[in-house]
Amino acid sequence: MRPNPELALALLRVTTGLLFAWEGAQAIFLTGLNAETAQFTRLGVPLPLLTAPLCATLNLVAGVLLALGLAPRLQAAVLTLLGTALLAFQVQQGGLTSPLLETAAPLLVGGLAVAVGGGGQPSLDHLGRLGARPLAARPTPARPAPRRTR
């Protein structure tokens, strides 16, 4: 079997995106935004009433978009930066714990790998590029003949 780095990146992208989406869905639907806001307050995250729902929603939406392969490098970079910032607040407050590392490490490493290496194939970005033709190859629309007026 030949190595297929594009497929490997796609598998990493989908797995990382689904993990981020799960984290966001869990924060919104299972633990709830009130608990998430309380945790952000305990960690000393600025503006917890704004940042907690924003982070949870961003994890959910960007995670799904990452899994689908829509702008995967951008999605992965944003999620990795967000995760790194939240990890820094947690480390500052309570240090590194095993459950924290078990969750954060795969997300951050997977996000960083996709941000650096790209989303791989198949992805919706790649499918969109297959259907797009360069402007020079597109037929120009016929212009109607000018009307003559007397």
Side-chain angles (χ1 to χ4, degrees):
M1 188 160 139
R2 293 179 325 148
N4 190 342
E6 289 296 317
L7 183 58
L9 281 170
L11 289 171
L12 184 62
R13 182 198 78 235
V14 169
T15 304
T16 303
L18 290 176
L19 285 172
F20 271 114
W22 170 250
E23 287 292 317
Q26 187 177 14
I28 294 170
F29 302 113
L30 295 178
T31 59
L33 291 176
N34 288 335
E36 197 73 12
T37 302
Q39 181 183 8
F40 274 48
T41 302
R42 278 192 307 276
L43 293 174
V45 177
L47 303 169
L49 288 173
L50 175 68
T51 54
L54 183 65
C55 289
T57 305
L58 190 61
N59 275 342
L60 177 59
V61 173
V64 169
L65 293 176
L66 177 60
L68 292 173
L70 288 171
R73 294 180 90 173
L74 174 67
Q75 307 297 344
V78 167
L79 289 168
T80 302
L81 289 172
L82 176 66
T84 303
L86 290 175
L87 183 64
F89 279 107
Q90 283 191 307
V91 168
Q92 181 182 14
Q93 291 299 318
L96 290 175
T97 62
S98 180
L100 175 63
L101 283 176
E102 289 171 3
T103 303
L107 288 172
L108 298 181
V109 171
L112 186 60
V114 174
V116 171
Q121 295 175 22
S123 73
L124 290 181
D125 262 7
H126 181 275
L127 293 175
R129 276 188 239 120
L130 289 178
R133 294 184 292 183
L135 287 177
R138 293 182 185 166
T140 55
R143 293 186 182 187
R147 297 168 95 191
R148 289 189 166 170
T149 56
R150 293 183 190 181

